[in-house]
Amino acid sequence: MATISFSGLGSGLDINTLTSQLVAAERAPAENRINNAAAKINSQLSALGTVKSALDNLHAAIGKLATSSDTPAFKATVQDKAGFTASAAGDVAAGRYQVEVLSLANTHKLGSAAFAKDAAVGHGTLQISAGSSSYEVAIAEGATLADIAKAINTASGGKGVTASVVNADAGQHLVLNATTAGSAGMLTVTASGGDGGLAALVYEPGGGANTLQETVAATDAQVKVDGFLRTADSNTVADLVPGLTLNLTAAKPGEAFTVNVGTDNSALKANLQSLVSMYNAANSVLRGVSAYDPETRRASALTGDSMVRGLQQQLRSALGEHSFELRAMGLTVATDGTLSLETSKLDSALATDPDSVRKLFGAEGTVGSRLATQINGAIDASTGTLTQRTGSLNRRMGDLSDQMDALNRRMEAVQTRYMAQFTAMDTLMAQMQSTSSYLTQQLSSLQSLTNNSNK
């Protein structure tokens, strides 16, 4: 008699694997939909980030160009070996100046007679004047020149006067240096009290015997510009001609040297070239994120996006409406939207009309202000179209994350249900297997009895 068999059922059933496969099959459609949507949004967010970065750079370039267009720059050129250098600020007037350096400003310097090394000089009080500043320096009994120099530096804090000790062949010398050049920093030193030893460190012009020697006189600078004399207590003369700063390096009385002050367009040209580069970079990015390859039939992240098309159109129209003025300045737009600059035409335009760049790219320029407004409308942190689109996509990503969480919870419930069902089925199959074995045994016994009775 044939036996009853349940192949692969009962206690041999792999419930975990079967449940996992069923849950995975049920999960796949929803999970794939969520993941595909998230991948698309991430791709769009990345593309928008690239667009914003390019527009940020273009916006910054427009701002720099506007500043250099509205604020003319000047450059001062000095003849060789003139004994001075010159620099020009924005408020200087262009022109030619004849400059003669008669004398330089020197800082006052005093030196003492020689003292034996580490010899006690005396004690009391030194009164030191340095220009409009004055200091009282208490000198302790038994003080050496090194002690006196330290006390002076402590009292002055390095302002007005500094002191040092020079070790020479004849002995040690105290040296006092004014920190301000010219007559404004002239030093005087008097002594009082103590044992009288500090009388060896006195300098008071017109007041009697001076025991400190004037090694460098406090002299003011004197310079003539176009024959007009100017005396200054510094070798940097900043207000002789408004906007023109002279740095005196050598006195050359009787020799006048020419300073030419002219317009400096180097920063303006560099900023205009930077705008061209940033415009082309932004144009390239906008094309790239919206491109479509007909051969591979692959679309980019923002192919067909109306916002991208609008940005491209705005950039083109801002230049296209002033193409004649731009061409006169050396700026041309190719058929693919690429902007280029011909510097020779720009130089010619600036020579003919120095205000030509400002009219187009200054803060109120017809092209620059329009580009800045259009780009700001896209990148503004609150109301910009890129900002709003990015926010919308991030909210959609949040929704997808919520959907994935809900799917996870639902699949956990499905898995629990499948496990319960298969466990119950496995239990039932085990019981049926047991019953099958019992019946097989009973039928086998009955057949054996029948066969025996027939013999």
Side-chain angles (χ1 to χ4, degrees), residues 192-425:
S192 62
D195 58 3
L198 297 182
L201 304 176
V202 171
Y203 182 83
E204 192 176 9
N210 294 320
T211 52
L212 289 176
Q213 180 183 359
E214 183 181 61
T215 58
V216 178
T219 58
D220 291 328
Q222 286 192 320
V223 60
K224 285 184 177 180
V225 175
D226 291 339
F228 298 104
L229 179 65
R230 169 65 183 274
T231 300
D233 59 10
S234 170
N235 289 318
T236 299
V237 186
D239 59 349
L240 182 58
V241 175
L244 182 66
T245 299
L246 300 179
N247 293 293
L248 312 182
T249 58
K252 295 192 175 184
E255 296 183 76
F257 296 88
T258 301
V259 178
N260 282 312
V261 178
T263 304
D264 182 11
N265 290 321
S266 58
L268 176 66
K269 291 163 69 174
N271 288 334
L272 184 56
Q273 184 60 63
S274 176
L275 179 139
V276 170
S277 298
M278 293 303 102
Y279 178 92
N280 289 337
N283 193 42
S284 176
V285 165
L286 289 171
R287 284 201 311 269
V289 299
S290 60
Y292 177 79
D293 189 339
E295 294 183 1
T296 62
R297 297 185 179 181
R298 291 189 61 181
S300 300
L302 299 174
T303 297
D305 190 280
S306 60
M307 181 192 68
V308 174
R309 290 198 305 270
L311 288 172
Q312 291 174 309
Q313 180 60 35
Q314 287 175 351
L315 293 180
R316 284 195 295 265
S317 62
L319 299 183
E321 293 180 7
H322 298 275
S323 58
F324 178 79
E325 297 97 317
L326 292 172
R327 281 197 300 271
M329 191 184 295
L331 290 168
T332 56
V333 181
T335 55
D336 63 353
T338 301
L339 184 63
S340 61
L341 173 63
E342 188 176 343
T343 55
S344 59
K345 281 191 176 181
L346 174 61
D347 291 337
S348 177
L350 289 173
T352 304
D353 182 6
D355 272 352
S356 57
V357 176
R358 181 189 61 78
K359 294 173 184 176
L360 291 176
F361 293 103
E364 303 298 327
T366 53
V367 176
S369 60
R370 179 174 176 181
L371 277 173
T373 300
Q374 290 173 341
I375 295 172
N376 193 61
I379 65 175
D380 183 87
S382 299
T383 61
T385 53
L386 285 172
T387 304
Q388 293 178 346
R389 173 68 68 82
T390 300
S392 175
L393 290 175
N394 282 326
R395 287 190 293 274
R396 288 174 58 188
M397 283 294 290
D399 292 340
L400 291 175
S401 178
D402 292 341
Q403 293 178 34
M404 184 63 78
D405 291 340
L407 177 62
N408 289 334
R409 291 192 296 270
R410 184 162 61 86
M411 289 300 101
E412 288 175 2
V414 169
Q415 184 174 26
T416 300
R417 186 179 77 248
Y418 280 152
M419 285 293 293
Q421 291 174 342
F422 284 120
T423 300
M425 185 180 67

